[in-house]
Amino acid sequence: MKEVNTKTSKAWLFYVPPLAIGLYLLALCLFVMFSRLTYPYELEWMEGAMFQVVMRVVDGLPIYTTPSMDYVPPLYAPLYFYVAALATKVMGEGLPALRLVSLLASLGTVTCVGYAVWLLTRSRLSVLLSVCCWAALYALVGSYYDAARLDSLWAFWLTGASTCLITFSQQQKKIFLYLMVLLLLLAVFTKQTTLSMLPFFFLALWLFSDFRTAFLAGLTLSILIGAALCLLQWQTKGLFYFYTMEMARAHKFIQGVPMNFLHGDMLTGVPIYLGLCASFILMGKKTARQRCAWLSLFSGFFLMSLLSRWYSGGWINVLLAFHQLIVVISVAGFWLVVKSLSGVQSPWVRNTFLGLMSVLLTLNMARAWIHPNYFLPTEADRACGDSVVAVLKQAPGDRVCVSKHTYLAFLADKKSCAHEAWGIDVMNGSSHQFAEQLQQDVKQQLLSGHYSLLLLDNDRQFKDYDVHWNQLPYTATDVDCPTSAFFPKLLGPRPMHWLRYNGKSMDDQRSKERKLIGSQG
């Protein structure tokens, strides 16, 4: 017995390799997030779209309305926009307020992850390892933890709900059940794709507890979702369900994504994490019922992530919530394997297997190695943004159109057109009436000179509205910035071409290089 205790006491040595690299990645992750918090321009091209909706909430305008060239509603549920609007009123108008919401939500998420691991392991080293694994996955979700988008807040609600489920499964205190239902409700009305994993969540609750508890919790959540849906339908005259459900359902599936998700996101991205998840679910003193509960919870997040990646527009940021669950289960699995193998009598077998597992986890964490400079905006990026905003400010009138970067118009104290992402969703959506209405409005506004100045990324930007480059009565010139500067660090294009209204026909004065870039899109 004494010999086994000595072996067990040395188990901490196998935590050293993953913790060594993990602490470094944690420092880099936090450094990058705090360093770019106050960057005044977009880190990702959809940040401006989010901000445009947030400002409507701040100004007391409805989120869901009929689409026009000036504004098109989003396909997302509304909760994030109200939370971000509150942060905007406290911190001031701008993208930093939205990023602060994401940063705080991410810090709340890693707190939930650490607490969940503590509940499962009662190991401080495992809690520290879970925090390091959370940071190590920063790059594998495109460094979206702090982006001015809804993903981090959504992941916080879901991770909190999972933590409450784990706590309830161990302590059977109803307060955690109530909190779980509340957090799931908040998750649904932050990102409606949450609905796809709810049956798996309540199946896990049933297996952890009993049918009556799961049924009543599920019924309560269903009533709350139904009541909130009815209220939003009434307030928006039926447009809420149209945009968040009918329009979203009109998104097409992308070829190749199931295999890309399975091979790229999972087997190539987090293979050792997944192996440790399997170890936790299959090993230990769990009953078959408890194993099925964990498998159900994992399957729900897996299915939700697969469907989100499969739809058009589903980028790696949709993996954020699933990654948090993977961290919790895999670190608990690592602890369980270390604990189980520490009792093996043969030193060679014990140390070989534990050493190999430690090295493999360390290598999987190292796959997310980041270079801070790659994720941080440069002085050239900021200088280009400043020069673009200065030109927008000098434009005659109070309206300009920067359809892929609407936030730039806000910085120049101008009214902007609708964000292109939402507009294309309407054009590809389920309402032919809205699509035709928007198409006619775009044509009329562009061809009549409603906007004195356009700032475009490419020649085909209005092609989906049946407005082609040569039809635009504008004079086209180059944006005076290096072609390598001002790209969003996370994802997206950058503006390349100024178009000033001349009332006649297209007068293309761009350089040959920019013409080639513009034609390539």
Side-chain angles (χ1 to χ4, degrees):
M1 186 70 180
K2 184 176 181 181
E3 183 183 359
V4 173
N5 288 339
T6 302
K7 296 170 186 174
T8 304
S9 67
K10 293 181 179 179
W12 65 270
L13 292 172
F14 299 101
Y15 280 83
V16 172
L19 284 177
I21 192 171
L23 289 171
Y24 175 72
L25 292 174
L26 176 62
L28 286 181
C29 173
L30 295 175
F31 172 74
V32 170
M33 288 198 295
F34 281 97
S35 294
R36 63 190 193 183
L37 173 65
T38 57
Y39 180 62
Y41 303 111
E42 292 172 321
L43 295 172
E44 199 255 14
W45 78 296
M46 287 294 293
E47 285 189 325
M50 297 288 171
F51 180 77
Q52 190 177 43
V53 181
V54 169
M55 287 309 299
R56 285 185 67 86
V57 176
V58 172
D59 294 336
L61 299 173
I63 294 177
Y64 306 101
T65 182
T66 54
S68 69
M69 180 60 174
D70 291 333
Y71 173 73
V72 175
L75 271 64
Y76 290 115
L79 182 59
Y80 166 78
F81 303 113
Y82 286 98
V83 174
L86 178 61
T88 297
K89 290 184 177 180
V90 174
M91 190 176 174
E93 297 174 354
L95 291 177
L98 277 64
R99 291 197 192 112
L100 181 63
V101 172
S102 295
L103 191 149
L104 293 177
S106 292
L107 296 179
T109 296
V110 72
T111 301
C112 292
V113 166
Y115 181 66
V117 169
W118 172 254
L119 289 172
L120 296 172
T121 67
R122 300 297 174 175
S123 164
R124 293 183 178 86
L125 279 177
S126 295
V127 172
L128 181 59
L129 180 59
S130 69
V131 174
C132 292
C133 288
W134 168 83
L137 292 178
Y138 181 56
L140 294 187
V141 288
S143 75
Y144 271 82
Y145 285 0
D146 54 323
R149 290 178 52 105
L150 55 81
D151 306 284
S152 292
L153 184 64
W154 170 66
F156 172 57
W157 303 138
L158 280 181
T159 307
S162 300
T163 303
C164 287
L165 174 62
I166 295 169
T167 309
F168 178 76
S169 70
Q170 293 191 354
Q171 302 178 9
Q172 298 295 310
K173 292 183 178 179
K174 289 187 176 180
I175 182 62
F176 295 106
L177 194 63
Y178 301 148
L179 283 174
M180 183 194 75
V181 170
L182 174 61
L183 290 169
L184 287 175
L185 178 68
L186 297 175
V188 168
F189 285 96
T190 299
K191 200 171 185 179
Q192 61 271 31
T193 52
T194 307
L195 292 168
S196 63
M197 57 83 65
L198 291 182
F200 298 88
F201 207 100
F202 285 101
L203 175 59
L205 176 60
W206 177 10
L207 294 168
F208 276 134
S209 181
D210 55 68
F211 176 78
R212 183 175 181 276
T213 299
F215 175 78
L216 291 177
L219 179 63
T220 301
L221 180 60
S222 299
I223 292 173
L224 292 174
I225 291 174
L229 177 61
C230 290
L231 177 62
L232 288 167
Q233 280 289 90
W234 173 71
Q235 289 181 334
T236 63
K237 299 180 180 179
L239 289 176
F240 169 74
Y241 184 84
F242 168 75
Y243 280 108
T244 60
M245 296 299 179
E246 292 183 26
M247 285 284 291
R249 193 165 54 243
H251 275 206
K252 295 181 175 61
F253 286 108
I254 302 175
Q255 285 187 332
V257 166
M259 285 308 300
N260 289 342
F261 171 75
L262 294 173
H263 179 264
D265 297 336
M266 296 289 103
L267 296 182
T268 302
V270 289
I272 308 305
Y273 293 94
L274 293 177
L276 291 171
C277 286
S279 298
F280 176 78
I281 293 172
L282 297 175
M283 292 175 59
K285 298 178 180 178
K286 301 184 190 68
T287 64
R289 188 182 180 96
Q290 289 173 327
R291 292 190 183 98
C292 289
W294 280 106
L295 184 60
S296 177
L297 185 62
F298 183 91
S299 299
F301 277 84
F302 181 91
L303 177 64
M304 178 180 65
S305 301
L306 170 61
L307 292 175
S308 298
R309 285 288 274 142
W310 202 349
Y311 278 114
S312 61
W315 187 234
I316 54 177
N317 56 292
V318 302
L319 303 174
L320 214 157
F322 186 27
H323 273 186
Q324 313 313 312
L325 182 69
I326 288 175
V327 169
V328 170
I329 301 178
S330 63
V331 172
F334 184 84
W335 168 82
L336 186 59
V337 172
V338 170
K339 179 182 177 183
S340 301
L341 292 182
S342 294
V344 174
Q345 294 298 318
S346 171
W348 186 88
V349 173
R350 180 177 66 247
N351 294 334
T352 298
F353 278 96
L354 288 178
L356 179 62
M357 183 186 64
S358 177
V359 169
L360 289 175
L361 178 59
T362 303
L363 290 174
N364 203 161
M365 293 172 69
R367 190 185 182 282
W369 193 275
I370 64 173
H371 299 282
N373 291 339
Y374 180 79
F375 293 106
L376 292 176
T378 64
E379 292 183 6
D381 295 329
R382 186 181 290 263
C384 181
D386 293 344
S387 66
V388 166
V389 170
V391 174
L392 289 170
K393 283 185 176 182
Q394 295 170 4
D398 64 343
R399 292 180 180 274
V400 295
C401 184
V402 194
S403 63
K404 281 192 176 180
H405 314 279
T406 52
Y407 181 62
L408 293 174
F410 167 80
L411 291 178
D413 297 320
K414 301 285 186 180
K415 296 178 181 178
S416 179
C417 55
H419 198 281
E420 182 176 315
W422 311 137
I424 298 306
D425 282 336
V426 169
M427 296 303 297
N428 296 328
S430 58
S431 173
H432 296 295
Q433 178 184 350
F434 276 177
E436 291 177 4
Q437 177 181 328
L438 179 59
Q439 183 184 57
Q440 293 303 316
D441 194 30
V442 170
K443 280 187 176 182
Q444 194 276 328
Q445 303 282 33
L446 291 176
L447 300 181
S448 67
H450 181 73
Y451 300 101
S452 62
L453 184 65
L454 310 180
L455 180 56
L456 306 185
D457 295 53
N458 60 69
D459 296 4
R460 293 175 288 179
Q461 205 150 323
F462 298 110
K463 183 179 179 181
D464 289 295
Y465 304 105
D466 196 29
V467 179
H468 299 273
W469 178 266
N470 291 331
Q471 294 178 274
L472 296 170
Y474 288 80
T475 300
T477 57
D478 298 338
V479 171
D480 188 20
C481 289
T483 55
S484 61
F486 204 49
F487 281 95
K489 286 297 179 179
L490 276 65
L491 178 70
R494 57 147 284 189
M496 290 283 186
H497 321 291
W498 291 114
L499 276 76
R500 292 173 173 82
Y501 183 69
N502 60 35
K504 299 176 183 178
S505 60
M506 170 54 66
D507 180 14
D508 198 338
Q509 297 183 12
R510 296 174 299 168
S511 64
K512 290 183 179 180
E513 180 188 12
R514 294 298 175 88
K515 286 181 181 180
L516 179 61
I517 293 173
S519 64
Q520 292 175 343

